[in-house]
Structures are given as structure tokens and as C-alpha cells.
mmCIF file of all heavy atoms in Angstrom:
data_model
loop_
_atom_site.group_PDB
_atom_site.id
_atom_site.type_symbol
_atom_site.label_atom_id
_atom_site.label_comp_id
_atom_site.label_asym_id
_atom_site.label_seq_id
_atom_site.Cartn_x
_atom_site.Cartn_y
_atom_site.Cartn_z
ATOM 1 N N TYR A 1 106.211 88.626 86.430
ATOM 2 C CA TYR A 1 105.306 88.911 85.315
ATOM 3 C C TYR A 1 105.345 87.733 84.360
ATOM 4 O O TYR A 1 106.112 86.777 84.558
ATOM 5 C CB TYR A 1 105.668 90.225 84.609
ATOM 6 C CG TYR A 1 107.040 90.261 83.963
ATOM 7 C CD1 TYR A 1 107.221 89.919 82.615
ATOM 8 C CD2 TYR A 1 108.167 90.667 84.677
ATOM 9 C CE1 TYR A 1 108.473 89.967 82.021
ATOM 10 C CE2 TYR A 1 109.415 90.722 84.086
ATOM 11 C CZ TYR A 1 109.568 90.376 82.754
ATOM 12 O OH TYR A 1 110.807 90.426 82.167
ATOM 13 N N PHE A 2 104.507 87.760 83.324
ATOM 14 C CA PHE A 2 104.424 86.653 82.373
ATOM 15 C C PHE A 2 105.340 86.922 81.174
ATOM 16 O O PHE A 2 105.154 87.927 80.467
ATOM 17 C CB PHE A 2 102.992 86.467 81.890
ATOM 18 C CG PHE A 2 102.118 85.683 82.831
ATOM 19 C CD1 PHE A 2 101.599 86.290 83.964
ATOM 20 C CD2 PHE A 2 101.821 84.350 82.589
ATOM 21 C CE1 PHE A 2 100.791 85.577 84.842
ATOM 22 C CE2 PHE A 2 101.015 83.625 83.470
ATOM 23 C CZ PHE A 2 100.499 84.243 84.592
ATOM 24 N N CYS A 3 106.292 86.024 80.959
ATOM 25 C CA CYS A 3 107.150 86.171 79.789
ATOM 26 C C CYS A 3 106.381 85.845 78.511
ATOM 27 O O CYS A 3 106.843 86.147 77.405
ATOM 28 C CB CYS A 3 108.395 85.299 79.903
ATOM 29 S SG CYS A 3 108.104 83.515 79.841
ATOM 30 N N SER A 4 105.197 85.260 78.650
ATOM 31 C CA SER A 4 104.343 84.937 77.516
ATOM 32 C C SER A 4 103.365 86.072 77.176
ATOM 33 O O SER A 4 102.588 85.964 76.229
ATOM 34 C CB SER A 4 103.546 83.660 77.813
ATOM 35 O OG SER A 4 102.861 83.770 79.054
ATOM 36 N N SER A 5 103.418 87.153 77.954
ATOM 37 C CA SER A 5 102.540 88.304 77.739
ATOM 38 C C SER A 5 103.335 89.462 77.146
ATOM 39 O O SER A 5 104.263 89.981 77.764
ATOM 40 C CB SER A 5 101.909 88.748 79.072
ATOM 41 O OG SER A 5 101.367 90.043 78.964
ATOM 42 N N LYS A 6 102.949 89.873 75.954
ATOM 43 C CA LYS A 6 103.631 91.002 75.316
ATOM 44 C C LYS A 6 103.468 92.264 76.151
ATOM 45 O O LYS A 6 104.411 93.052 76.318
ATOM 46 C CB LYS A 6 103.077 91.209 73.907
ATOM 47 C CG LYS A 6 103.857 92.215 73.075
ATOM 48 C CD LYS A 6 103.344 92.233 71.646
ATOM 49 C CE LYS A 6 104.180 93.175 70.783
ATOM 50 N NZ LYS A 6 103.699 93.168 69.367
ATOM 51 N N HIS A 7 102.274 92.457 76.699
ATOM 52 C CA HIS A 7 102.012 93.637 77.534
ATOM 53 C C HIS A 7 102.922 93.661 78.749
ATOM 54 O O HIS A 7 103.543 94.682 79.069
ATOM 55 C CB HIS A 7 100.545 93.639 77.984
ATOM 56 C CG HIS A 7 100.228 94.678 79.017
ATOM 57 N ND1 HIS A 7 100.313 94.440 80.375
ATOM 58 C CD2 HIS A 7 99.851 95.978 78.885
ATOM 59 C CE1 HIS A 7 99.996 95.532 81.034
ATOM 60 N NE2 HIS A 7 99.708 96.483 80.164
ATOM 61 N N ASP A 8 103.009 92.544 79.469
ATOM 62 C CA ASP A 8 103.862 92.475 80.658
ATOM 63 C C ASP A 8 105.319 92.748 80.315
ATOM 64 O O ASP A 8 106.026 93.472 81.032
ATOM 65 C CB ASP A 8 103.748 91.093 81.310
ATOM 66 C CG ASP A 8 102.655 91.025 82.373
ATOM 67 O OD1 ASP A 8 101.890 91.996 82.491
ATOM 68 O OD2 ASP A 8 102.575 90.001 83.066
ATOM 69 N N CYS A 9 105.783 92.135 79.229
ATOM 70 C CA CYS A 9 107.192 92.286 78.859
ATOM 71 C C CYS A 9 107.509 93.731 78.469
ATOM 72 O O CYS A 9 108.580 94.256 78.806
ATOM 73 C CB CYS A 9 107.547 91.328 77.726
ATOM 74 S SG CYS A 9 107.544 89.584 78.226
ATOM 75 N N GLN A 10 106.579 94.382 77.782
ATOM 76 C CA GLN A 10 106.793 95.788 77.429
ATOM 77 C C GLN A 10 106.820 96.668 78.677
ATOM 78 O O GLN A 10 107.621 97.611 78.764
ATOM 79 C CB GLN A 10 105.692 96.259 76.471
ATOM 80 C CG GLN A 10 105.809 95.677 75.075
ATOM 81 C CD GLN A 10 104.648 96.066 74.174
ATOM 82 O OE1 GLN A 10 103.549 96.405 74.640
ATOM 83 N NE2 GLN A 10 104.872 96.029 72.867
ATOM 84 N N LEU A 11 105.977 96.340 79.661
ATOM 85 C CA LEU A 11 105.968 97.101 80.912
ATOM 86 C C LEU A 11 107.277 96.892 81.670
ATOM 87 O O LEU A 11 107.860 97.852 82.207
ATOM 88 C CB LEU A 11 104.775 96.668 81.759
ATOM 89 C CG LEU A 11 104.459 97.481 83.019
ATOM 90 C CD1 LEU A 11 104.301 98.961 82.692
ATOM 91 C CD2 LEU A 11 103.191 96.948 83.679
ATOM 92 N N ALA A 12 107.762 95.658 81.706
ATOM 93 C CA ALA A 12 109.037 95.378 82.372
ATOM 94 C C ALA A 12 110.186 96.093 81.667
ATOM 95 O O ALA A 12 111.108 96.605 82.321
ATOM 96 C CB ALA A 12 109.283 93.877 82.404
ATOM 97 N N GLU A 13 110.143 96.147 80.338
ATOM 98 C CA GLU A 13 111.189 96.834 79.578
ATOM 99 C C GLU A 13 111.183 98.333 79.878
ATOM 100 O O GLU A 13 112.234 98.987 79.874
ATOM 101 C CB GLU A 13 110.987 96.594 78.085
ATOM 102 C CG GLU A 13 111.311 95.186 77.641
ATOM 103 C CD GLU A 13 110.828 94.881 76.231
ATOM 104 O OE1 GLU A 13 110.401 95.829 75.528
ATOM 105 O OE2 GLU A 13 110.860 93.696 75.839
ATOM 106 N N LYS A 14 110.005 98.882 80.145
ATOM 107 C CA LYS A 14 109.890 100.302 80.496
ATOM 108 C C LYS A 14 110.715 100.623 81.739
ATOM 109 O O LYS A 14 111.383 101.665 81.804
ATOM 110 C CB LYS A 14 108.416 100.650 80.728
ATOM 111 C CG LYS A 14 108.178 102.036 81.308
ATOM 112 C CD LYS A 14 106.706 102.225 81.642
ATOM 113 C CE LYS A 14 106.473 103.523 82.410
ATOM 114 N NZ LYS A 14 105.037 103.698 82.792
ATOM 115 N N TYR A 15 110.693 99.706 82.709
ATOM 116 C CA TYR A 15 111.421 99.948 83.960
ATOM 117 C C TYR A 15 112.865 99.469 83.884
ATOM 118 O O TYR A 15 113.729 99.991 84.590
ATOM 119 C CB TYR A 15 110.688 99.274 85.125
ATOM 120 C CG TYR A 15 109.400 99.964 85.459
ATOM 121 C CD1 TYR A 15 108.188 99.473 84.985
ATOM 122 C CD2 TYR A 15 109.382 101.121 86.220
ATOM 123 C CE1 TYR A 15 106.994 100.113 85.268
ATOM 124 C CE2 TYR A 15 108.202 101.777 86.507
ATOM 125 C CZ TYR A 15 107.004 101.268 86.029
ATOM 126 O OH TYR A 15 105.828 101.922 86.303
ATOM 127 N N GLY A 16 113.140 98.491 83.037
ATOM 128 C CA GLY A 16 114.488 97.955 82.941
ATOM 129 C C GLY A 16 114.831 97.097 84.150
ATOM 130 O O GLY A 16 114.070 97.017 85.122
ATOM 131 N N HIS A 17 115.975 96.447 84.089
ATOM 132 C CA HIS A 17 116.377 95.559 85.186
ATOM 133 C C HIS A 17 116.554 96.334 86.491
ATOM 134 O O HIS A 17 116.148 95.871 87.557
ATOM 135 C CB HIS A 17 117.675 94.834 84.824
ATOM 136 C CG HIS A 17 117.543 93.982 83.598
ATOM 137 N ND1 HIS A 17 118.482 93.976 82.600
ATOM 138 C CD2 HIS A 17 116.560 93.137 83.196
ATOM 139 C CE1 HIS A 17 118.102 93.146 81.647
ATOM 140 N NE2 HIS A 17 116.934 92.633 81.983
ATOM 141 N N ALA A 18 117.141 97.529 86.400
ATOM 142 C CA ALA A 18 117.350 98.334 87.607
ATOM 143 C C ALA A 18 116.016 98.770 88.206
ATOM 144 O O ALA A 18 115.836 98.759 89.424
ATOM 145 C CB ALA A 18 118.214 99.547 87.292
ATOM 146 N N GLY A 19 115.074 99.156 87.347
ATOM 147 C CA GLY A 19 113.772 99.578 87.835
ATOM 148 C C GLY A 19 112.985 98.445 88.459
ATOM 149 O O GLY A 19 112.310 98.634 89.475
ATOM 150 N N MET A 20 113.060 97.262 87.868
ATOM 151 C CA MET A 20 112.381 96.097 88.451
ATOM 152 C C MET A 20 112.987 95.755 89.811
ATOM 153 O O MET A 20 112.277 95.414 90.755
ATOM 154 C CB MET A 20 112.479 94.912 87.502
ATOM 155 C CG MET A 20 111.764 95.118 86.170
ATOM 156 S SD MET A 20 109.967 95.264 86.335
ATOM 157 C CE MET A 20 109.535 93.548 86.657
ATOM 158 N N ALA A 21 114.311 95.865 89.903
ATOM 159 C CA ALA A 21 114.973 95.623 91.184
ATOM 160 C C ALA A 21 114.522 96.628 92.227
ATOM 161 O O ALA A 21 114.321 96.286 93.401
ATOM 162 C CB ALA A 21 116.489 95.675 91.014
ATOM 163 N N ARG A 22 114.309 97.876 91.826
ATOM 164 C CA ARG A 22 113.849 98.898 92.771
ATOM 165 C C ARG A 22 112.439 98.585 93.284
ATOM 166 O O ARG A 22 112.137 98.811 94.455
ATOM 167 C CB ARG A 22 113.880 100.288 92.128
ATOM 168 C CG ARG A 22 115.272 100.877 92.001
ATOM 169 C CD ARG A 22 115.214 102.377 91.739
ATOM 170 N NE ARG A 22 114.504 102.678 90.503
ATOM 171 C CZ ARG A 22 115.050 102.685 89.304
ATOM 172 N NH1 ARG A 22 116.325 102.377 89.167
ATOM 173 N NH2 ARG A 22 114.337 102.986 88.238
ATOM 174 N N LEU A 23 111.577 98.068 92.418
ATOM 175 C CA LEU A 23 110.231 97.698 92.869
ATOM 176 C C LEU A 23 110.303 96.592 93.919
ATOM 177 O O LEU A 23 109.632 96.654 94.954
ATOM 178 C CB LEU A 23 109.393 97.233 91.677
ATOM 179 C CG LEU A 23 109.057 98.274 90.608
ATOM 180 C CD1 LEU A 23 108.282 97.633 89.461
ATOM 181 C CD2 LEU A 23 108.269 99.431 91.204
ATOM 182 N N LEU A 24 111.128 95.587 93.659
ATOM 183 C CA LEU A 24 111.292 94.502 94.636
ATOM 184 C C LEU A 24 111.901 95.018 95.935
ATOM 185 O O LEU A 24 111.463 94.656 97.032
ATOM 186 C CB LEU A 24 112.171 93.408 94.044
ATOM 187 C CG LEU A 24 111.568 92.621 92.878
ATOM 188 C CD1 LEU A 24 112.660 91.881 92.116
ATOM 189 C CD2 LEU A 24 110.510 91.641 93.365
ATOM 190 N N ALA A 25 112.915 95.879 95.816
ATOM 191 C CA ALA A 25 113.583 96.414 97.001
ATOM 192 C C ALA A 25 112.648 97.288 97.822
ATOM 193 O O ALA A 25 112.718 97.303 99.056
ATOM 194 C CB ALA A 25 114.830 97.201 96.600
ATOM 195 N N THR A 26 111.758 98.011 97.158
ATOM 196 C CA THR A 26 110.758 98.805 97.870
ATOM 197 C C THR A 26 109.889 97.907 98.745
ATOM 198 O O THR A 26 109.594 98.225 99.899
ATOM 199 C CB THR A 26 109.889 99.587 96.873
ATOM 200 O OG1 THR A 26 110.704 100.527 96.172
ATOM 201 C CG2 THR A 26 108.766 100.333 97.583
ATOM 202 N N GLY A 27 109.494 96.760 98.195
ATOM 203 C CA GLY A 27 108.693 95.823 98.972
ATOM 204 C C GLY A 27 109.457 95.186 100.108
ATOM 205 O O GLY A 27 108.922 94.983 101.201
ATOM 206 N N ILE A 28 110.713 94.868 99.874
ATOM 207 C CA ILE A 28 111.519 94.187 100.893
ATOM 208 C C ILE A 28 111.890 95.130 102.034
ATOM 209 O O ILE A 28 111.812 94.770 103.208
ATOM 210 C CB ILE A 28 112.773 93.565 100.256
ATOM 211 C CG1 ILE A 28 112.367 92.417 99.317
ATOM 212 C CG2 ILE A 28 113.746 93.051 101.323
ATOM 213 C CD1 ILE A 28 113.489 91.908 98.435
ATOM 214 N N THR A 29 112.270 96.349 101.699
ATOM 215 C CA THR A 29 112.707 97.301 102.727
ATOM 216 C C THR A 29 111.533 98.040 103.370
ATOM 217 O O THR A 29 111.646 98.532 104.493
ATOM 218 C CB THR A 29 113.666 98.352 102.143
ATOM 219 O OG1 THR A 29 112.965 99.130 101.152
ATOM 220 C CG2 THR A 29 114.880 97.687 101.511
ATOM 221 N N GLY A 30 110.435 98.153 102.645
ATOM 222 C CA GLY A 30 109.302 98.908 103.165
ATOM 223 C C GLY A 30 109.469 100.410 103.043
ATOM 224 O O GLY A 30 108.763 101.178 103.706
ATOM 225 N N LYS A 31 110.375 100.862 102.157
ATOM 226 C CA LYS A 31 110.579 102.294 101.966
ATOM 227 C C LYS A 31 110.938 102.563 100.511
ATOM 228 O O LYS A 31 111.460 101.667 99.827
ATOM 229 C CB LYS A 31 111.685 102.816 102.887
ATOM 230 C CG LYS A 31 113.044 102.153 102.673
ATOM 231 C CD LYS A 31 114.051 102.608 103.705
ATOM 232 C CE LYS A 31 115.415 101.928 103.482
ATOM 233 N NZ LYS A 31 116.392 102.319 104.510
ATOM 234 N N PRO A 32 110.655 103.766 100.011
ATOM 235 C CA PRO A 32 111.006 104.087 98.630
ATOM 236 C C PRO A 32 112.515 103.984 98.411
ATOM 237 O O PRO A 32 113.309 104.355 99.272
ATOM 238 C CB PRO A 32 110.530 105.538 98.473
ATOM 239 C CG PRO A 32 109.523 105.739 99.549
ATOM 240 C CD PRO A 32 109.976 104.882 100.690
ATOM 241 N N ILE A 33 112.891 103.456 97.263
ATOM 242 C CA ILE A 33 114.306 103.291 96.938
ATOM 243 C C ILE A 33 114.717 104.372 95.945
ATOM 244 O O ILE A 33 114.104 104.510 94.884
ATOM 245 C CB ILE A 33 114.567 101.894 96.337
ATOM 246 C CG1 ILE A 33 114.159 100.805 97.324
ATOM 247 C CG2 ILE A 33 116.016 101.746 95.928
ATOM 248 C CD1 ILE A 33 114.940 100.806 98.624
ATOM 249 N N LYS A 34 115.732 105.125 96.290
ATOM 250 C CA LYS A 34 116.196 106.208 95.432
ATOM 251 C C LYS A 34 117.445 105.773 94.668
ATOM 252 O O LYS A 34 118.291 105.058 95.182
ATOM 253 C CB LYS A 34 116.511 107.460 96.266
ATOM 254 C CG LYS A 34 115.299 108.007 97.000
ATOM 255 C CD LYS A 34 115.659 109.253 97.791
ATOM 256 C CE LYS A 34 114.460 109.811 98.533
ATOM 257 N NZ LYS A 34 114.790 111.020 99.307
ATOM 258 N N ASP A 35 117.536 106.221 93.431
ATOM 259 C CA ASP A 35 118.701 105.909 92.606
ATOM 260 C C ASP A 35 119.938 106.630 93.113
ATOM 261 O O ASP A 35 119.856 107.704 93.721
ATOM 262 C CB ASP A 35 118.467 106.349 91.162
ATOM 263 C CG ASP A 35 117.586 105.382 90.412
ATOM 264 O OD1 ASP A 35 117.611 104.182 90.721
ATOM 265 O OD2 ASP A 35 116.880 105.838 89.506
ATOM 266 N N ILE A 36 121.085 106.051 92.835
ATOM 267 C CA ILE A 36 122.359 106.737 93.035
ATOM 268 C C ILE A 36 123.061 106.754 91.691
ATOM 269 O O ILE A 36 123.410 105.703 91.147
ATOM 270 C CB ILE A 36 123.241 106.037 94.094
ATOM 271 C CG1 ILE A 36 122.545 106.047 95.460
ATOM 272 C CG2 ILE A 36 124.594 106.726 94.197
ATOM 273 C CD1 ILE A 36 123.343 105.369 96.562
ATOM 274 N N SER A 37 123.226 107.925 91.137
ATOM 275 C CA SER A 37 123.854 108.064 89.829
ATOM 276 C C SER A 37 124.478 109.454 89.754
ATOM 277 O O SER A 37 124.553 110.175 90.766
ATOM 278 C CB SER A 37 122.821 107.873 88.714
ATOM 279 O OG SER A 37 121.759 108.795 88.854
#
């Protein structure tokens, strides 16, 4: 995303680092990623 875009940064903050990692992992694995907590 664009670090120069307030909208993008707010959207990334909504998901947090763990959520952004899950989006990437979903693409890499080809399957939904479930949390473990």
C-alpha cells in the first residue's frame, strides 16, 4: 500500500501487522488463514 496515502495507512492499521500478514499468507498458500489464539 502507499505510505503516502492516509486512506491506505488507516486501512492497514485496521488489520494490523498480523492481519496484513494473513492477507499475504492467504495469497501464498491459496487457502484462508485462521488465527490461533
Side-chain angles (χ1 to χ4, degrees):
Y1 62 93
F2 278 78
C3 67
S4 53
S5 164
K6 189 173 184 179
H7 171 269
D8 269 8
C9 291
Q10 288 175 337
L11 189 54
E13 288 168 10
K14 171 186 172 182
Y15 289 99
H17 299 135
M20 296 294 286
R22 285 196 300 275
L23 294 177
L24 292 163
T26 296
I28 293 169
T29 63
K31 60 186 180 182
I33 301 297
K34 298 181 180 180
D35 282 330
I36 298 180
S37 57

